């Protein structure tokens, strides 16, 4: 039941976010963008600094980063980022194995892997961030209207 508890926790945090739907959606999209990039050890720091610099909702951005970048999605994201980067850059694919999914392990592989990974990561981040804005905005509007207290007509 741990997964159900986590989903319920995300849902409750999402409902408790304050701000206009557009503000929350912008912050979620920012978090999704950062969370999609191959900068795992720095996601939280990048989200915090970006939110402070851009005056965005830190909680919404952290939720967005956590939803997209978690132990279940990271291997798939890294593989997709690398493959996309290789295609975009026109580089030959290099077979590799990663000892761990942290920045140090990636840097040890070398620039021939890191460069396509970063290029593909930024492109994939944009692909995920744009629709996440619209999805988050719609979700905030719907959930708030569904959970709004009915207003009693005045006599």
């Amino acid at each position: 039941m741990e997964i159900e508890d986590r989903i319920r926790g995300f849902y409750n945090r999402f409902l408790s976010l304050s701000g206009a739907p557009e503000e929350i959606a912008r912050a979620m999209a920012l978090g999704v963008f950062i969370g999609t990039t191959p900068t795992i050890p720095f996601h939280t720091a990048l989200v915090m600094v970006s939110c402070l610099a851009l005056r965005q909702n830190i909680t919404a951005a952290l939720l967005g980063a956590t939803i997209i970048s978690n132990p279940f999605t990271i291997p798939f994201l890294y593989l997709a980022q690398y493959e996309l980067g290789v295609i975009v850059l026109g580089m030959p694919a290099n077979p590799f194995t990663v000892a761990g999914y942290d920045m140090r392990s990636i840097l040890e592989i070398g620039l021939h892997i890191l460069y396509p990974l970063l290029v593909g990561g930024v492109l994939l981040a944009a692909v995920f961030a744009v629709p996440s804005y619209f999805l988050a905005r719609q979700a905030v509007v719907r959930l708030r209207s569904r959970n709004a207290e009915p207003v009693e007509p005045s006599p």
Side-chain angles (χ1 to χ4, degrees):
M1 276 218 232
E2 185 176 315
I3 292 175
E4 288 178 24
D5 292 339
R6 283 186 160 200
I7 291 171
R8 191 173 297 115
F10 277 121
Y11 177 77
N12 289 334
R13 277 185 241 140
F14 190 72
L15 283 179
S16 68
L17 293 173
S18 60
E22 293 79 15
E23 294 169 350
I24 294 170
R26 269 195 311 271
M28 289 280 289
L30 176 63
V32 166
F33 184 90
I34 292 169
T36 305
T37 63
T39 55
I40 288 176
F42 307 113
H43 282 171
T44 302
L46 288 171
V47 166
M48 302 282 279
V49 169
S50 298
C51 286
L52 291 173
L54 300 172
R55 295 179 177 231
Q56 296 297 314
N57 185 314
I58 293 172
T59 305
L62 286 171
L63 278 171
T66 304
I67 288 169
I68 196 72
S69 181
N70 58 65
F72 300 111
T73 61
I74 289 170
F76 300 108
L77 284 174
Y78 270 48
L79 181 60
Q81 291 164 358
Y82 175 74
E83 294 294 333
L84 179 61
V86 164
I87 291 168
V88 168
L89 296 170
M91 297 174 67
N94 293 309
F96 66 94
T97 58
V98 180
Y101 290 100
D102 57 19
M103 191 56 85
R104 182 173 180 214
S105 297
I106 294 167
L107 288 173
E108 289 173 359
I109 294 171
L111 210 51
H112 63 282
I113 301 297
L114 186 60
Y115 186 50
L117 187 63
L118 287 173
V119 169
V122 169
L123 293 173
L124 199 60
V127 167
F128 283 122
V130 171
S132 73
Y133 169 83
F134 296 104
L135 291 170
R137 185 182 175 284
Q138 187 66 22
V140 171
V141 169
R142 281 190 178 173
L143 291 172
R144 285 185 178 173
S145 66
R146 185 172 61 175
N147 292 323
E149 295 286 326
V151 177
E152 297 277 333
S154 57

